[in-house]
């Protein structure tokens, strides 16, 4: 099977993971997730790694391992953003928002849902617009509003900024957030631009 065929099959398998989770079939979801992992390791492209991170996050969120799920969703967003996969990054932001809501980080969840909604409206993705809008509605009921100073920053950028404010070096931040130094530098550059 060619790498292109493996990649296309992986995106279909990611949908299958979502379907199994929706049906409460965690064991089947994990089995498919393992196949996605094998393909991502064999082919090794950013989109496949992002797909793997996204599906791993969904499985972890379903298991209630929310902090680990949060990290996987943030990594997926970073990887999708590298290849300008705006739709997929927005879907991951919705998942991240739901996970942050479970972690009682409502302001960060609100920010992620807002960012997802903007992209999805621009793309005309109505089904996903409804998901982002529903999350924003739920968060609004909880009184979540983005803090004005951090409104433009993503959840990951906010984490990086807080670690910078604590005096940590780029290398220390990379180690703590399990990112490459280059990714940390990209986040810091984005923070300065915003």
């Amino acid at each position: 099977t060619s790498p292109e065929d493996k990649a296309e099959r992986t995106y279909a398998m990611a949908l299958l993971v979502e379907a199994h989770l929706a049906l409460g079939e965690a064991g089947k979801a994990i089995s498919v997730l393992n196949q996605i992992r094998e393909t991502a390791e064999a082919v090794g492209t950013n989109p496949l790694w992002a797909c793997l991170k996204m599906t791993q996050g969904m499985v972890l969120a379903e298991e209630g391992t929310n902090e680990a799920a949060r990290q996987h969703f943030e990594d997926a967003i970073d990887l999708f953003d590298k290849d300008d996969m705006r739709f997929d990054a927005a879907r991951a932001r919705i998942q991240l928002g739901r996970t942050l809501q479970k972690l009682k980080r409502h302001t960060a969840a609100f920010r992620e849902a807002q960012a997802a909604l903007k992209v999805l409206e621009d793309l005309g993705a109505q089904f996903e617009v409804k998901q982002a809008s529903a999350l924003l509605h739920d968060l609004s009921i909880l009184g979540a509003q983005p803090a004005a100073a951090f409104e433009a920053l993503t959840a990951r950028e906010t984490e990086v900024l807080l670690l910078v404010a604590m005096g940590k070096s780029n290398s220390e931040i990379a180690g703590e957030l399990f990112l490459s130094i280059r990714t940390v530098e990209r986040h810091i550059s984005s923070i300065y631009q915003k």
Side-chain angles (χ1 to χ4, degrees):
T1 309
S2 72
E4 293 83 12
D5 290 341
K6 286 182 179 181
E8 287 180 24
R9 186 169 180 257
T10 299
Y11 301 123
M13 288 190 297
L15 292 174
L16 187 57
V17 168
E18 287 186 59
H20 284 311
L21 291 174
L23 294 170
E25 300 171 342
K28 290 181 181 178
I30 291 169
S31 175
V32 177
L33 174 62
N34 289 333
Q35 293 175 46
I36 294 171
R37 181 178 294 109
E38 289 172 13
T39 303
E41 289 171 355
V43 178
T45 63
N46 277 346
L48 290 181
W49 285 116
C51 183
L52 174 62
K53 290 289 188 177
M54 175 85 160
T55 52
Q56 282 178 319
M58 286 192 231
V59 169
L60 289 165
E62 186 65 27
E63 293 172 345
T65 314
N66 294 312
E67 187 56 36
R70 176 194 64 80
Q71 292 174 352
H72 279 78
F73 291 135
E74 288 176 351
D75 291 345
I77 292 165
D78 288 344
L79 290 165
F80 284 134
D81 282 345
K82 279 184 183 178
D83 283 351
D84 199 30
M85 298 176 71
R86 297 173 60 217
F87 174 76
D88 297 293
R91 287 186 69 239
R93 287 186 189 285
I94 293 171
Q95 294 293 334
L96 175 57
R98 289 177 180 150
T99 302
L100 290 168
Q101 180 182 18
K102 291 176 189 173
L103 291 168
K104 309 260 187 261
R105 293 176 55 190
H106 298 132
T107 299
F110 193 93
R111 190 173 46 248
E112 293 299 333
Q114 269 188 327
L117 181 63
K118 182 179 183 323
V119 169
L120 295 165
E121 285 176 336
D122 289 348
L123 295 174
Q126 293 307 310
F127 178 77
E128 288 77 11
V129 163
K130 289 179 185 175
Q131 290 182 328
S133 296
L135 178 56
L136 281 169
H137 178 265
D138 292 347
L139 291 164
S140 294
I141 290 171
L142 295 170
Q145 293 294 327
F150 295 109
E151 179 171 89
L153 302 180
T154 66
R156 184 54 67 116
E157 288 169 345
T158 301
E159 283 182 315
V160 169
L161 180 59
L162 292 172
L163 292 171
V164 167
M166 292 169 61
K168 301 221 179 218
S169 69
N170 290 0
S171 170
E172 291 170 324
I173 294 168
E176 190 162 328
L177 297 178
F178 303 103
L179 299 172
S180 71
I181 293 174
R182 177 66 192 116
T183 299
V184 171
E185 290 169 351
R186 189 171 45 81
H187 284 308
I188 290 172
S189 174
S190 177
I191 290 165
Y192 284 137
Q193 288 175 357
K194 292 177 180 181

